Amino acid sequence: MPETALLLQMLVMLMAIGAFAGVLAGLLGVGGGIVLVPAFFYAFQTLGYDGPQLMQVCLATSLATIVVTSVRSVLSHNKKGAVDWDILRGWALGIALGAVVGMLVAASLRSVTLQAIFGCLGVVIGLYMGFGRSAWRLGQEMPKGVKRAVLSPLMGFLSVLMGIGGGSFGVPLMSLFNTPIHRAVATAAGFGVIIAVPAVIGFLFVSIEGAPPFTIGAVNLVAFGVIVSMTLITAPYGVKLAHAMDPKPLKRVFAVFLTLVALNMLRKALGY
């Protein structure tokens, strides 16, 4: 077991990360998972748990926290009438199916492969956040029919492979199809619930070699408890900030941070 001092350091770090992730979930619509997955990875590595399935623990634990954070976030947004329930209902089935497939694929991959996937997709998300323009459009309304049938499971699939909720892919997608940004952020919180619930249920039955203590399936209960306790406090403040200010300047700073984190994850996956 790791030394008590080291455990306390990790506890403090996770509390700070949880608070930060909660604010991000409400403010930027990127979801806390984009921060939690690399944070969990480095925390568990520091504690000496660096098995071939470590990334599965990070993904599953992140998604478990997203269940709670997203529910809290979508309820807070719904009080302001910002959630588009028509979009949620239309996209729910495809997203959930994609999430289940993503869980099955993630459970079969090694940590290094999942690190590479996270790194590549994280760079794409960071570049879009940094250089994307609110005026960009692919259409005047959200896709239906065949396009929706393709895009909805793809969103769920990629989100689970990264251990994130619906914001990182959902908000850009809805914005590109002419959904107002505050409505997109609010609705993406609902995407997070649809993605995380089936994926976490599946991850609870995955067997992990060399998992950290207090891990059920691939979900670490200690990290889950610490993060949830903080995000429950801070997510509503992120929602209030999202409705009270223009988050664009902060989003560009976060884009740089995310790109650097993703590149570092990719570097580790490539063995450098």
Side-chain angles (χ1 to χ4, degrees):
M1 291 291 289
E3 297 180 1
T4 301
L6 186 58
L7 285 172
L8 289 175
Q9 292 174 12
M10 293 301 102
L11 178 63
V12 172
M13 184 184 75
L14 287 172
M15 289 178 67
I17 291 166
F20 182 48
V23 172
L24 285 178
L27 174 60
L28 300 182
V30 298
I34 204 78
V35 175
L36 294 180
V37 170
F40 286 154
F41 186 82
Y42 297 126
F44 290 139
Q45 258 197 340
T46 302
L47 289 171
Y49 302 102
D50 193 16
Q53 295 176 297
L54 179 60
M55 274 295 286
Q56 278 93 334
V57 176
C58 300
L59 300 181
T61 306
S62 172
L63 288 165
T65 68
I66 286 168
V67 173
V68 180
T69 304
S70 294
V71 168
R72 183 70 178 268
S73 182
V74 76
L75 290 176
S76 298
H77 280 296
N78 191 51
K79 290 179 181 178
K80 300 178 182 294
V83 179
D84 192 321
W85 292 101
D86 288 335
I87 292 177
L88 275 182
R89 283 189 290 268
W91 286 65
L93 179 59
I95 290 174
L97 290 174
V100 171
V101 175
M103 182 279 300
L104 294 172
V105 171
S108 68
L109 298 177
R110 294 177 62 86
S111 261
V112 66
T113 305
L114 291 170
Q115 283 179 265
I117 292 171
F118 185 96
C120 291
L121 293 177
V123 169
V124 172
I125 294 170
L127 291 174
Y128 180 84
M129 289 181 65
F131 297 101
R133 297 290 181 267
S134 59
W136 289 356
R137 292 290 180 272
L138 293 177
Q140 294 304 307
E141 62 179 8
M142 287 291 283
K144 297 179 181 179
V146 175
K147 286 185 179 179
R148 183 169 68 185
V150 172
L151 291 174
S152 56
L154 183 62
M155 185 192 305
F157 177 76
L158 293 178
S159 295
V160 170
L161 287 185
M162 291 189 71
I164 61 178
S168 296
F169 294 116
V171 171
L173 179 68
M174 284 185 277
S175 296
L176 288 171
F177 285 97
N178 205 36
T179 303
I181 185 62
H182 288 125
R183 184 165 291 271
V185 169
T187 307
F191 285 170
V193 180
I194 297 166
I195 290 165
V197 169
V200 170
I201 291 172
F203 273 124
L204 288 173
F205 296 95
V206 173
S207 178
I208 298 295
E209 177 185 344
F214 307 106
T215 299
I216 297 179
V219 179
N220 183 263
L221 299 182
V222 175
F224 169 78
V226 171
I227 296 299
V228 165
S229 65
M230 297 306 299
T231 55
L232 282 176
I233 296 171
T234 59
Y237 292 103
V239 173
K240 291 180 181 178
L241 287 173
H243 287 270
M245 62 175 286
D246 179 5
K248 289 180 182 178
L250 181 58
K251 182 171 286 190
R252 299 199 186 284
V253 173
F254 180 73
V256 175
F257 166 77
L258 171 59
T259 302
L260 292 175
V261 169
L263 287 172
N264 188 51
M265 185 77 82
L266 189 58
R267 176 187 64 82
K268 282 181 170 289
L270 295 175
Y272 293 106

